[in-house]
Amino acid sequence: VKALVQKHLQVFGTTADISGIEFRFKRVDGRTPLDRHVTCSVNFPDVASARRVFDNLETVPSGCGNLPRTPPAHRDGFPSVHGTRMKAIPAPSMNSLQPDDQGNDWVQIVRKKRLGSSRQCLVTSFLPVDLSFKETVPIKVGMFGRVIGTQGRTIAAIQQISGARVSVAKQPERSDTIQSGIGELLIEADESSKLDRAKELITQALDRKLG
């Protein structure tokens, strides 16, 4: 984590000073081994540094939503349900980082945060996000499962690839049948191109052509 921050704060090849940046690590024990991970909070002294590091992080080239074959994640990341922006980035390789002078192994800390079988890290930025572009998309009851996907993987992939937030705006009524019931998805983004991309991906998911 420290190496990633230092790398993206570099200016014209000079080594960045990270002495004023606070790193906090917390272990999270889940129900299963795959749920156990370590999170790291990075507190920057100014907004510009935080924005530079987050914007320069490279997103995963494939495997969005933990689906086997997808287009790359959007370079801007995607908005979460909590109003923050997130990015799925490749976990550093074993050879890319070295232990620090206290013997803390940065690689082990980062790599414990995994999404299923793919080695990815989820990075959250708490800078404000303006989701001024919004649109609802009607979905038939029988098609909701295709958009959501197993364990929410498909809708996660749609968000990571498009850079837009996709959520269920209207649940189908209990009395609705598979043939007649209609629900709605809400798409929110800070750019119209992201909204349009999300609609394209929803169509692909309905046709079973995503992932």
Side-chain angles (χ1 to χ4, degrees):
V1 174
K2 293 179 180 178
L4 284 174
V5 170
Q6 191 168 42
K7 172 184 175 182
H8 294 299
L9 279 179
Q10 289 181 355
V11 179
F12 302 118
T14 60
T15 302
D17 181 15
I18 61 173
S19 59
I21 300 175
E22 181 183 11
F23 296 85
R24 294 182 179 180
F25 295 92
K26 178 182 178 181
R27 177 175 175 174
V28 179
D29 291 321
R31 294 182 179 180
T32 67
L34 283 177
D35 293 330
R36 299 169 189 163
H37 59 273
V38 173
T39 62
C40 175
S41 298
V42 184
N43 298 321
F44 293 87
D46 58 87
V47 173
S49 297
R51 192 182 301 277
R52 184 192 306 171
V53 170
F54 186 81
D55 289 349
N56 288 335
L57 289 172
E58 297 179 2
T59 53
V60 292
S62 185
C64 295
N66 208 19
L67 296 177
R69 294 176 298 277
T70 70
H74 198 285
R75 65 182 183 279
D76 293 343
F78 61 98
S80 73
V81 294
H82 304 294
T84 60
R85 190 182 297 279
M86 305 183 73
K87 273 188 177 183
I89 68 170
S93 66
M94 291 297 293
N95 297 324
S96 63
L97 302 176
Q98 298 296 328
D100 62 11
D101 52 7
Q102 281 79 41
N104 297 318
D105 192 336
W106 304 339
V107 177
Q108 292 301 318
I109 291 173
V110 175
R111 291 180 70 239
K112 286 182 181 178
K113 179 65 176 176
R114 297 184 180 181
L115 303 179
S117 59
S118 60
R119 292 176 178 173
Q120 301 178 6
C121 299
L122 280 178
V123 181
T124 303
S125 167
F126 292 94
L127 297 175
V129 182
D130 179 20
L131 303 178
S132 55
F133 295 89
K134 301 182 181 182
E135 187 172 334
T136 56
V137 178
I139 301 291
K140 291 183 178 180
V141 173
M143 295 295 187
F144 256 85
R146 296 189 183 184
V147 178
I148 304 301
T150 304
Q151 299 179 339
R153 293 176 180 175
T154 302
I155 195 170
I158 292 172
Q159 293 182 100
Q160 291 182 20
I161 298 168
S162 67
R165 180 166 69 192
V166 182
S167 57
V168 178
K170 178 185 176 183
Q171 292 277 7
E173 301 293 336
R174 291 187 176 182
S175 59
D176 289 341
T177 63
I178 294 179
Q179 290 78 19
S180 64
I182 298 292
E184 290 182 347
L185 293 176
L186 173 63
I187 307 174
E188 302 171 277
D190 57 352
E191 297 176 9
S192 60
S193 59
K194 297 177 183 178
L195 190 148
D196 293 338
R197 180 60 169 148
K199 290 192 293 183
E200 293 175 1
L201 294 167
I202 290 172
T203 300
Q204 292 181 23
L206 292 173
D207 295 336
R208 300 185 186 275
K209 295 180 180 179
L210 180 61

